[in-house]
Each structure stands twice: as C-alpha cells, then as structure tokens.
Amino acid sequence: MDIDASGDVTSLDPELLQLPELSPLALKTNPQIAEDLFAQWLSLPETGRLVKSLIEDARAGTPFNALGNSNSVNVAGSNMLPSMFPAATTPPLSPRSSSGSPRVSKQRTSPSSLGSPLKLVTEQVREVIPQFYFRDGRPPSNDIKEQCLSRINDIFNKKMDGLQMHEFKSITKEICRLPSFFSSPLFRKIDTDDTGIVTRDAFIKYWVDGNMLTMDTATQMFKILKQPACNYLSKVDFKPLLLELLATHPGLEFLQSTPEFQERYAETVIYRIFYYINKSGNGRLTLRELKRGNLIAAIQHADEEEDINKVLRYFSYEHFYVIYCKFWELDTDHDFLIDKENLIRYGNHALTYRIVERIFSQTPRKFTSKVEGKMGYEDFVYFMLSEEDKSADPSLEYWFKCIDLDGNGVLTPSELQFFYEEQLHRMECLAQEPVLFEDILCQIIDMVAPKREEYITLNDLKGCKLSGNVFNILFNLNKFMAFESRDPFLIRQEREDPTMTEWDRFAHREYIRLSMEEDGEDASNGSIEVWDESFEAPF
C-alpha cells in the first residue's frame, strides 16, 4: 500500500513531535527536520501495516483503537511506534497548561471519542421559528379574508364599474369600520389617478392585499392620512379629514354658509390636536404619539354624537368660538396678529409685563407668524390653552420654559423671585396687603414638595396637583387672588364633574358670557354660573 504523505507534511506542527533529542527551538527554526522525520516514519513497514489495520477496522465497524491493537497487527502495547521513538523515554509535557495543551485538545476531539472515524456527525435539527415581523403588517387569516371578500362582493356587485365618492361611505363604515368622515381621505388614498371611481380590485389591493385589514384602528388612520414618503403626520394631513367633518356632521351644518369660519374651525381643531398629542412639539405627529393620545376616541365620539359641542376633546364648536372671540377682542386692528400691548389686556390685564416679555422672546415656543414682534393665531391658541389649563403637561412645559431664565432645566428661588417682584409691586399699588416672597417661597415648596428644596424641576411640577397655582402666584394676579380666596362655587363645580378639565370649565363659562353679550344682554345680571375671574376689577 502506497501512502501519500505530501498533504499532511506541510501542515505538521513541529512542536507536536516533542522529540527529546531535538530542542523545540531547533524544530521551529528548521521545520524541514520534522518533515523528513515524518516522511521516514511513513515509509516504515510497521506504519503501513498499522494504517491498513485501521482502515479495515473502520470498514468493519470495529471501535477505533488509538493504540493500534487490531487482530491484523501484532504489536506489543506501548511498543507500537517505530523504534526511532524510544519506548523507555516519555516525551516532555508542553510548556502550555494541560487545559490548553494541543495534545489534550486533540484527544478530546479524536475519532475515538466519536466512534468510527468515518461516521459523520449528524447535524443538529434546527427548530423553525415562525415569522413574527411583517414589514407591511401581519397578513389576515384565510377566514377573515374570505369574510371580508364576501362583504366586498355584496357591495360591489351592485356597482360593477366601481363606486363614486358619495357612494363610498358604506365601504368606510361597514367594511373598514372607520368613522364616516374618513370616507373622503380613504377614497383619495385608493384613487391615486383621480378617476373619481374606486373599483373592487383597487379596493381589495389597498385594503386586503395591503394588510390594512389586520391593523389596529390607530395604524389604519395613520396610514390613510399620512403622505406616502413620510412616517409622520403634519397639520396639512388633517385638513381633508376636517373638511369631510364640516361637510357631513349635522352639528356643523350651520357653518356651511360661512366658509371663512369653517376654515378657522378646522385650523383650531388641528392646533388643539397637536398641542396635546405632539409631545415633541416639532409639528410631526408620529404613530407612537397618536396611539398614546386620546384622538382616536375623540374622532369616534364625534362620528357617533350629533351634538358636536358634547365632544369636548378637540372638536367642540363652543371651544373654538371662545378661542376665536378672545383673539378677535385682542386684535384691535384686525390684522390677525397680536403684539405685546394686545396680549397685556388678556384676562382683564391679569398677566405681568415680565411674563409677556418672555412669551414674545419665543422662549416657550417659536412663533409661526414670521412677523417680528407679532403673535399669530396658532401661537395664540397655544398660549390660551396653556394659560387656562395649567394642570396639563403641555401647559406646565410652556410656563416652565418661561420661568427658567437661564435654561438649565431647574427653577431656582432667584428666578421665582424675579417674576414675583412685579406681582408684589402690583399688590402694593392696589393697596392690598403684600405677601413677602419668603412666605410665598415657603408656600410654593409646600405645594410642590420637590425632591430637593434648592430648586424645582419639571418632574416635580408634573407630580403635583397644585403646580398650576405656582405659575398663577408668579404672574397672574387675578387667578392668584382667586386661589387665595378659594371660591366655594368653583370647588363644588370641580367635585361635581371631575372629568372636566380646567379648560372645559373655563370654555363653558366664557361661552355663556360671550353668547349673552352677542344677544345684547348684560352678563353681570346673569346667574352665578357665568361667574368668571375676568369680571373682577382690573389689576
């Protein structure tokens, strides 16, 4: 038997031989010595017989014997190696540790531990993990898909050529289970070529094949309203939804004769949505923000409720009326812009000059008016919502930025004192008993209970139910005095309906006052329900 050793000699590690006659250094410096010795060993007759016996044992399935004790070879125990390796001497151990010795490692992975050297190791069976991520959403099951297709066929069988926009509402309500005023945005989303018709195949491609069927309501609305290349909703994306609401909702029919107020109503609703839901304040409403907010519930409520004023979240016309009338009262030249002097008159001169300066420095929020020193309608909506409901998180963030003069994220006693000084001066001018700042600071610390008394953080304010009163103490004298007097009627009103926010109660009272003025009545002779702090003498 001829043995070809050329393939193994080149990969031989000289250290593995560990010959006592030759130092490891000599083998490393001259590896040819090891190759010659290995070739000589392979040429010995005993080596040939040993290899043949191993091959025969492997064919017969006999367990591999590393020492070469086979029936075909009669070699005595430890004397199986050729005579060139003296039997009386034991090769020295490698300088490496036993755990890292290549000899030990080789023994652990030798064929003797695995049975026959020709026996292949069976590859471990891998468990198939079902797909759990779908880029376009999880596809519907066959049962759900068949049920949906059956309902689609029932509707489109009567209109084989397709449905026009005014006929599409049944699809939106019955199949998509979306509010009716999503009908127009959904229709335009499918009819990308502006043909005015949505066919059965086009609807199935978008709604069923596009996996819209299995998405949650928030994701469905998000995908319908957003632009194809965007992963967020802008204010413009809500306009088709509001136009459809204005055109179809029974509670807004009276506005159809005044298109200019339809537009203002739509803008106000959109501004309110972004004020409360767009936490980042960047004008880009994400799907995460949409899901965490209460807009979906408000939209569904608006679709079911005929009286739009009962939908207090975002869509109430009375709330729009109050905001717009307040803006119009302050905008004396009616250029749809407000300056500092206009804003000073808000709430019967309730605000201090210092806080108005901070607002117009655009510290809490950049103006969208693009006119130097002027506040636009959108800016006013953000201001008014913040002023009239200081318990809401957006309001707390708005006023916190105003008071934080150095922008370091904490309110120090010196910053609080800076704004309270003007309040103190106003009380002195009105011959009222002044409250020293030291006493006010103690009162604020008691109300907020901050983690550290040296300063107040935004989280401290958000964790306190009375945090809104802190800002009233600093820059709104009317509300500060109302808080000190603790009007029992307002306390009782809050307890009777705790679900209503401060903004809801304010808007309700103010709408009654404005409607009575519109009717030519004297609001001061009305019932106690129309009481408002704005009726007090100006400070």
Side-chain angles (χ1 to χ4, degrees), residues 149-409:
L149 291 175
S150 176
R151 295 198 302 269
I152 292 173
N153 292 332
D154 291 341
I155 295 177
F156 277 93
N157 282 341
K158 303 175 184 177
K159 295 285 184 177
M160 299 300 295
D161 297 334
L163 299 176
Q164 298 181 10
M165 185 175 292
H166 67 277
E167 302 170 318
F168 196 72
K169 188 173 293 187
S170 58
I171 292 286
T172 306
K173 291 282 290 184
E174 298 175 15
I175 296 179
C176 302
R177 301 187 182 280
L178 292 173
S180 58
F181 46 91
F182 264 84
S183 179
S184 177
L186 178 59
F187 186 94
R188 291 189 174 92
K189 198 74 173 184
I190 301 173
D191 184 23
T192 55
D193 298 329
D194 294 329
T195 60
I197 294 290
V198 167
T199 63
R200 173 187 175 276
D201 293 340
F203 177 75
I204 292 176
K205 180 180 179 182
Y206 179 81
W207 192 257
V208 180
D209 298 341
N211 296 334
M212 293 285 286
L213 182 60
T214 57
M215 295 178 184
D216 58 89
T217 305
T219 306
Q220 290 173 345
M221 293 182 179
F222 183 81
K223 285 186 171 290
I224 292 172
L225 295 178
K226 79 179 186 69
Q227 299 299 318
C230 298
N231 60 351
Y232 59 85
L233 292 174
S234 62
K235 295 182 179 70
V236 179
D237 296 331
F238 283 91
K239 283 193 174 181
L241 181 69
L242 268 298
L243 291 177
E244 182 72 10
L245 176 69
L246 285 162
T248 59
H249 200 282
L252 296 170
E253 288 182 357
F254 67 97
L255 277 180
Q256 294 181 3
S257 59
T258 54
E260 66 276 12
F261 287 110
Q262 282 186 320
E263 182 179 356
R264 296 304 175 199
Y265 169 81
E267 289 179 355
T268 306
V269 172
I270 294 173
Y271 297 155
R272 292 182 66 189
I273 290 172
F274 275 78
Y275 173 83
Y276 286 104
I277 298 182
N278 184 211
K279 301 296 185 181
S280 61
N282 59 359
R284 297 181 174 186
L285 189 63
T286 64
L287 177 59
R288 178 182 176 86
E289 291 174 328
L290 183 64
K291 288 183 176 182
R292 297 181 69 177
N294 57 0
L295 177 60
I296 304 302
I299 290 175
Q300 294 170 337
H301 186 194
D303 188 51
E304 300 166 358
E305 178 59 60
E306 292 188 0
D307 187 357
I308 197 66
N309 292 318
K310 292 182 179 180
V311 188
L312 300 179
R313 303 286 81 80
Y314 314 114
F315 295 98
S316 170
Y317 176 81
E318 291 182 356
H319 292 189
F320 154 72
Y321 185 85
V322 170
I323 295 173
Y324 188 82
C325 288
K326 283 286 187 179
F327 180 83
W328 193 251
E329 287 177 358
L330 300 178
D331 182 21
T332 54
D333 55 2
H334 301 314
D335 60 349
F336 225 64
L337 295 170
I338 289 178
D339 57 20
K340 294 178 185 178
E341 296 302 322
N342 297 141
L343 194 62
I344 282 292
R345 297 188 295 108
Y346 181 85
N348 205 9
H349 296 79
L351 302 176
T352 63
Y353 281 93
R354 289 184 178 180
I355 198 65
V356 171
E357 285 286 347
R358 289 291 287 173
I359 294 171
F360 276 84
S361 69
Q362 304 183 40
T363 300
R365 182 179 182 274
K366 296 293 182 182
F367 288 170
T368 60
S369 63
K370 307 301 181 184
V371 180
E372 185 68 24
K374 294 293 183 73
M375 168 190 288
Y377 180 64
E378 179 180 350
D379 309 315
F380 178 79
V381 172
Y382 275 69
F383 157 77
M384 187 171 178
L385 292 175
S386 300
E387 168 58 24
E388 300 303 338
D389 187 0
K390 294 187 177 72
S391 62
D393 284 353
S395 175
L396 295 176
E397 295 169 6
Y398 186 95
W399 296 119
F400 186 91
K401 293 176 182 178
C402 285
I403 305 301
D404 186 14
L405 295 174
D406 53 10
N408 64 348

Side-chain angles (χ1 to χ4, degrees), residues 464-516:
C464 171
K465 295 182 179 180
L466 299 175
S467 55
N469 294 312
V470 174
F471 296 117
N472 290 331
I473 291 173
L474 298 176
F475 55 75
N476 190 316
L477 190 56
N478 290 357
K479 291 185 177 181
F480 175 32
M481 302 310 295
F483 172 71
E484 290 294 317
S485 63
R486 300 294 203 285
D487 185 88
F489 168 73
L490 292 180
I491 296 175
R492 179 172 57 85
Q493 190 181 46
E494 292 176 5
R495 291 175 179 174
E496 287 176 355
D497 193 354
T499 60
M500 293 185 68
T501 64
E502 291 183 23
W503 164 257
D504 295 333
R505 284 187 282 268
F506 164 80
H508 175 69
R509 296 192 305 268
E510 194 64 17
Y511 180 78
I512 294 176
R513 183 185 71 84
L514 292 171
S515 61
M516 292 175 68

